[in-house]
Amino acid sequence: MDESSLIKRAQSGDVGAFEVLIKNYESTIYRICFKVLKNEADSFDAAQEVCIKIWKQLGKFEEKSKFSTWVYRIATNQCLDILRKGKNKKVVSINQNEEWALELEDTKINIEKQVEDAERLRILKSALDELKKEYSEIIILKDVKNLSYEEIATEKNISLGTVKSRLFRARNALKNILKQDKEPFRSFWRHNNRKEGL
């Protein structure tokens, strides 16, 4: 049975369908939690809570975005809630100095930024997957591997002019994909605007 059918059956109360559906995401959910919480026990507990939330909120899911995107959002929000409540942090007693408390707060902000950056990278990867192969390859060579124009020309056995023109077209194509008014690309601009304080 495909994922869409499993979702519809689970939304109608079919527990068996939900169990099959969530089994496909258990390891992914745990990895997301562990990446944020850095602790096996806390990550396991958080992943269990995420599965419960998915079950409770499944009726609200609409196929305007990918189910995986929706699951990712619930998992990251759950982990951020745990961090905000301090459930996975050391308790700071009133006798300890203010600097330690500030350090904990900075750590929390840092982790939230890492989660946001990870989400943006995931969206960019989805956009790259929609590009023509020659476009995604040249963007990865230049913007991910940081090769020079000359190195790319040598590796791809094309002229320097072709490298520059292809990269220009590839970046424009990527930008157009990211501008699409659909998930997950709509989220990319929300993350950017939040980052820029808009």
Side-chain angles (χ1 to χ4, degrees):
M1 190 181 299
D2 62 24
E3 184 172 271
S4 181
S5 300
L6 285 170
I7 292 168
K8 286 181 173 64
R9 290 186 63 169
Q11 285 176 325
S12 66
D14 187 332
V15 177
F18 177 74
E19 287 176 351
V20 174
L21 179 67
I22 205 66
K23 191 171 182 61
N24 295 331
Y25 286 92
E26 281 178 347
S27 59
T28 299
I29 292 168
Y30 176 79
R31 283 197 302 271
I32 293 167
C33 294
F34 186 78
K35 186 171 185 178
V36 179
L37 301 175
K38 311 292 185 187
N39 177 289
E40 286 186 11
D42 288 339
S43 300
F44 179 79
D45 290 344
Q48 294 301 307
E49 286 298 318
V50 170
C51 291
I52 292 168
K53 282 191 174 181
I54 290 171
W55 171 249
K56 288 180 176 177
Q57 298 178 24
L58 193 58
K60 298 177 183 177
F61 173 72
E62 298 176 2
E63 294 189 49
K64 292 178 182 175
S65 63
K66 287 184 178 180
F67 186 70
S68 57
T69 303
W70 187 72
V71 168
Y72 185 95
R73 193 175 301 125
I74 290 176
T76 52
N77 286 342
Q78 174 67 19
C79 292
L80 290 177
D81 284 345
I82 290 172
L83 292 177
R84 290 187 189 105
K85 292 171 184 174
K87 286 183 179 176
N88 69 323
K89 295 182 203 160
K90 294 177 182 178
V91 176
V92 182
S93 76
I94 56 173
N95 295 323
Q96 289 177 297
N97 60 41
E98 264 183 43
E99 287 181 5
W100 176 241
L102 287 172
E103 186 180 331
L104 285 176
E105 185 65 22
D106 288 345
T107 300
K108 181 187 78 173
I109 293 167
N110 244 358
I111 293 172
E112 289 181 358
K113 181 182 181 300
Q114 286 172 14
V115 171
E116 265 199 14
D117 288 346
E119 171 71 356
R120 291 176 71 248
L121 285 172
R122 188 186 65 79
I123 295 168
L124 280 169
K125 185 179 182 304
S126 295
L128 284 170
D129 288 343
E130 292 201 11
L131 285 175
K132 292 198 303 188
K133 187 178 178 183
E134 65 177 29
Y135 285 177
S136 62
E137 282 180 348
I138 201 160
I139 286 176
I140 289 168
L141 290 173
K142 182 67 179 144
D143 297 329
V144 178
K145 294 186 177 179
N146 293 315
L147 297 188
S148 67
Y149 293 121
E150 291 78 7
E151 288 171 326
I152 295 171
T154 301
E155 178 157 331
K156 301 303 293 180
N157 195 27
I158 54 178
S159 70
L160 202 58
T162 300
V163 171
K164 292 179 179 179
S165 61
R166 186 177 297 176
L167 183 62
F168 176 79
R169 292 195 302 272
R171 284 173 172 165
N172 271 342
L174 180 64
K175 188 175 180 181
N176 288 333
I177 289 171
L178 289 168
K179 280 183 175 179
Q180 292 179 89
D181 189 24
K182 67 177 185 179
E183 293 293 357
F185 308 121
R186 192 185 297 122
S187 298
F188 179 84
W189 299 107
R190 282 203 300 271
H191 284 296
N192 271 8
N193 291 341
R194 193 181 306 129
K195 193 174 180 181
E196 294 165 9
L198 299 177

